[in-house]
Amino acid sequence: MVAWNNLDTLASYEKLTKTSPVNLVEVMSGEGGAARVKKYSTPMAAGLTYHYAAKAVDDDTLQALTDLAKEAQLADKFKELYNGAVINTGENRLVLHQLTRGQLGDKVQADGVDKRAFYVAQQEKIAQFANDVHAGKIINASGEKFTTVVQIGIGGSDLGPRAMYLALENWAKKNNTFKMEAKFISNVDPDDAAAVLNSVDVAHALFVLVSKSGTTLETLTNESFVKDALKNAGLNPSDHMVAVTSETSPLAKSDDYLAAFFMDDYIGGRYSSTSAVGGAVLSLAFGPEVFAQFLDGAAEEDRLSTNENVLENAAMLDALIGVYERNVLGYPSTAVLPYSQALSRFPAHLQQLDMESNGKSVNRFGEPVDYPTGPVIFGEPGTNGQHSFYQLLHQGTDIVPLQFVGFKNSQIGTDVDIQGSTSQQKLCANVAAQIVAFACGKADDNRNKNFEGGRPSSIIIGEQLNPQALGALLAHFENKVMFQGFLWNVNSFDQEGVQLGKVLAKRVLAHETDGALKEFSDLLNI
């Protein structure tokens, strides 16, 4: 029987708080550091490896974390999730995003259907539609092929798919799988939609409207903006639009769309990149085969995440170390630092994934918790970040745990040798140097040039960022966030924090305001 208990009630957590802190400067210096790097790593899917030698842990800490994972029943709770238990207690829903890429356990029935079969059917429907678009079977009014796909969505309907598209764009061009350029409209700010529309030929653009409910204010506003642009160009909007929505939404059977692809209430927006939300735009952009490879990488990482052995389960281990840093060492934030320009929007996606999931101050039963939960997540690609906020990371008053991601080879496969090394070698040299610099520091009598070190980091390393590796990377972080939510005993799958502002905004637009809300509305000429 699975028991849902607060972190601070677990005996193993109490023992974890009493473990001796690890002095990173000492253990990462000299030959001891070399031995740690060889020892502390865990294989992931798609040829990736999670390295945590530069984290402030040792064998005693890892044993305490293993005991915590067992007492918190992390593996059992994951099994409950993928076998169809009601894990989203806030909304009384199942949590099924893993089913979009594979079946880990029992057949899951909901709404009278086999949900794995439902998701596969949507993927097949998207694949056929994308193939027909690429083959010129679905064309514009002039009988010409669509050349651009534009996704209209916000939050999880934008951040994940946009990050995944950017991650694979150059890879697809290099590997001759690039089919259509993709653009994204998300912000209700009219300048966002206008900028995208000004950059595309609307006559050859296919628009994907993503709204599970069919009522998302920002998305429907941007849809109207796009429809006006199409009408002004003498085009019929219904010939240029498809919908990704739920079967019960007003968009599902509307004549305003060429096709509708379905999602459901069991997949939250921030977990939806492997559903139709990401599937439509990525299949149109790169082809269904590439999207299938992406799903395969995620499915493989999901399988590894079921392992009860903490030291062989990278997502669970990453989660446990993160909770140790947050709750025992007291670090309030985490920086995500991909040394890959293709992952330029990946930190933004992880920011939503993590902070919307675990930014909670009550547990699964609505009771206040007395310990910190989700950290602040931020980040940018290296080496750009080195010339920006790394100053604070190295010498600031707060210690910020770091999550690096790096690849041995570039996506383009070609490079230039300058001053005895290639661009890719320079990139990799920088990430290796940063890990050691953060951990070991550098003593200097000039305090302005003194680096105390002791700044923990981990790194995920792969051969090349390709669809399978991207899928594995995505699933790793989704599962990490899930495991941390289990440990904190919060519901990682609802997001009530986004609702209050929406309600007040509707009051403003209806001119039903008073007090401070009215004054701010007046200041903004609403």
Side-chain angles (χ1 to χ4, degrees):
M1 176 69 70
V2 168
W4 300 92
N5 297 308
N6 284 3
L7 177 67
D8 57 2
T9 67
L10 304 179
S12 53
Y13 174 70
E14 179 65 22
K15 291 181 180 179
L16 178 66
T17 65
K18 295 177 180 178
T19 56
S20 299
V22 172
N23 187 319
L24 264 184
V25 177
E26 291 181 1
V27 300
M28 283 296 290
S29 299
E31 290 303 313
R36 279 181 67 89
V37 174
K38 293 175 182 177
K39 177 180 180 180
Y40 290 130
S41 67
T42 305
M44 295 170 55
L48 300 175
T49 305
Y50 172 67
H51 296 267
Y52 56 100
K55 286 292 191 181
V57 299
D58 58 14
D59 290 349
D60 289 341
T61 319
L62 292 172
Q63 183 58 56
L65 292 174
T66 298
D67 293 343
L68 177 59
K70 184 175 181 180
E71 186 180 2
Q73 299 177 284
L74 296 188
D76 293 333
K77 288 172 181 174
F78 187 23
K79 188 178 295 184
E80 288 269 298
L81 183 150
Y82 62 69
N83 282 330
V86 178
I87 297 296
N88 180 350
T89 51
E91 297 170 315
N92 196 34
R93 292 173 179 168
L94 289 66
V95 176
L96 301 182
H97 55 277
Q98 276 95 0
L99 270 182
T100 61
R101 55 245 194 178
Q103 185 142 353
L104 295 172
D106 301 337
K107 181 182 292 187
V108 177
Q109 295 278 145
D111 304 327
V113 300
D114 177 335
K115 295 309 295 186
R116 172 62 182 158
F118 171 78
Y119 298 138
V120 170
Q122 295 308 307
Q123 290 163 8
E124 291 173 347
K125 185 178 177 182
I126 290 168
Q128 185 61 57
F129 182 85
N131 285 333
D132 286 348
V133 170
H134 300 151
K137 294 180 181 179
I138 296 175
I139 51 180
N140 71 2
S142 300
E144 299 167 330
K145 284 187 175 184
F146 292 106
T147 58
T148 305
V149 54
V150 181
Q151 179 124 320
I152 308 170
I154 197 166
S157 300
D158 168 74
L159 285 165
R162 187 195 296 250
M164 302 309 127
Y165 170 78
L166 293 173
L168 295 178
E169 183 179 16
N170 280 338
W171 180 91
K173 290 176 179 177
K174 176 66 178 180
N175 289 274
N176 299 316
T177 66
F178 188 80
K179 308 293 185 181
M180 302 170 69
E181 183 181 24
K183 302 275 190 175
F184 297 83
I185 298 173
S186 58
N187 200 330
V188 75
D189 182 343
D191 289 342
D192 186 22
V196 172
L197 291 170
N198 288 336
S199 71
V200 302
D201 174 8
V202 293
H204 296 86
L206 188 61
F207 296 86
V208 180
L209 183 79
V210 184
S211 175
K212 181 162 57 179
S213 66
T215 60
T216 310
L217 177 64
E218 295 94 336
T219 301
L220 295 184
T221 301
N222 280 327
E223 179 192 27
S224 296
F225 202 106
V226 167
K227 284 183 174 179
D228 283 348
L230 289 165
K231 291 173 184 176
N232 291 338
L235 303 168
N236 181 357
S238 63
D239 293 336
H240 288 258
M241 304 194 81
V242 300
V244 175
T245 190
S246 68
E247 290 181 292
T248 57
S249 93
L251 311 179
K253 295 179 173 61
S254 171
D255 292 334
D256 290 344
Y257 308 100
L258 286 168
F261 310 115
F262 298 128
M263 54 202 290
D264 58 35
D265 286 335
Y266 310 120
I267 299 176
R270 58 195 176 278
Y271 296 96
S272 66
S273 291
T274 53
S275 75
V277 173
V281 65
L282 296 177
S283 295
L284 286 164
F286 306 133
E289 297 80 9
V290 171
F291 184 66
Q293 294 167 25
F294 171 64
L295 295 181
D296 287 344
E300 185 185 353
E301 186 61 30
D302 284 341
R303 286 191 292 272
L304 294 177
S305 297
T306 66
N307 195 328
E308 294 185 16
N309 184 336
V310 170
L311 300 184
E312 296 176 359
N313 186 331
M316 187 182 292
L317 180 57
D318 196 2
L320 286 157
I321 292 173
V323 168
Y324 174 64
E325 291 173 333
R326 183 76 174 106
N327 295 89
V328 178
L329 300 181
Y331 303 148
S333 58
T334 297
V336 179
L337 309 170
Y339 274 63
S340 166
Q341 186 60 30
L343 293 174
S344 61
R345 292 298 289 168
F346 198 68
H349 170 59
L350 295 188
Q351 187 177 63
Q352 185 202 20
L353 173 66
D354 201 311
M355 295 173 70
E356 193 167 80
S357 294
N358 291 336
K360 311 289 174 61
S361 57
V362 299
N363 67 14
R364 294 164 52 81
F365 310 109
E367 303 160 343
V369 295
D370 296 324
Y371 46 80
T373 58
V376 173
I377 304 294
F378 69 97
E380 285 288 333
T383 56
N384 295 39
Q386 292 177 202
H387 297 267
S388 176
F389 52 81
Y390 277 37
Q391 168 61 45
L392 183 148
L393 300 183
H394 275 293
Q395 293 182 304
T397 53
D398 284 323
I399 291 180
V400 179
L402 315 167
Q403 174 66 74
F404 291 101
V405 180
F407 297 92
K408 300 174 187 177
N409 302 297
S410 70
Q411 291 182 315
I412 59 173
T414 57
D415 207 341
V416 59
D417 193 304
I418 299 176
Q419 297 178 348
S421 60
T422 66
S423 300
Q424 185 67 22
Q425 288 172 329
K426 290 179 174 67
L427 179 71
C428 291
N430 271 278
V431 70
Q434 290 295 330
I435 292 170
V436 174
F438 279 117
C440 299
K442 180 182 74 71
D444 197 301
D445 291 337
N446 181 342
R447 298 300 299 169
N448 196 51
K449 296 183 179 181
N450 186 69
F451 291 76
E452 292 185 359
R455 315 270 166 150
S457 70
S458 60
I459 182 170
I460 295 172
I461 298 177
E463 292 293 327
Q464 184 191 57
L465 181 57
N466 57 33
Q468 294 95 330
L470 182 65
L473 197 63
L474 176 71
H476 170 88
F477 284 103
E478 288 182 348
N479 294 336
K480 172 188 175 180
V481 167
M482 172 193 69
F483 285 130
Q484 289 188 328
F486 291 163
L487 286 161
W488 286 316
N489 199 27
V490 300
N491 178 11
S492 301
F493 304 104
D494 66 1
Q495 54 284 325
E496 290 300 326
V498 307
Q499 300 303 322
L500 179 58
K502 290 182 180 180
V503 172
L504 293 180
K506 288 180 179 178
R507 281 180 51 190
V508 172
L509 293 173
H511 300 289
E512 298 172 353
T513 58
D514 55 20
L517 188 60
K518 183 180 188 307
E519 292 303 316
F520 279 113
S521 301
D522 291 344
L523 286 172
L524 289 162
N525 293 327
I526 300 168

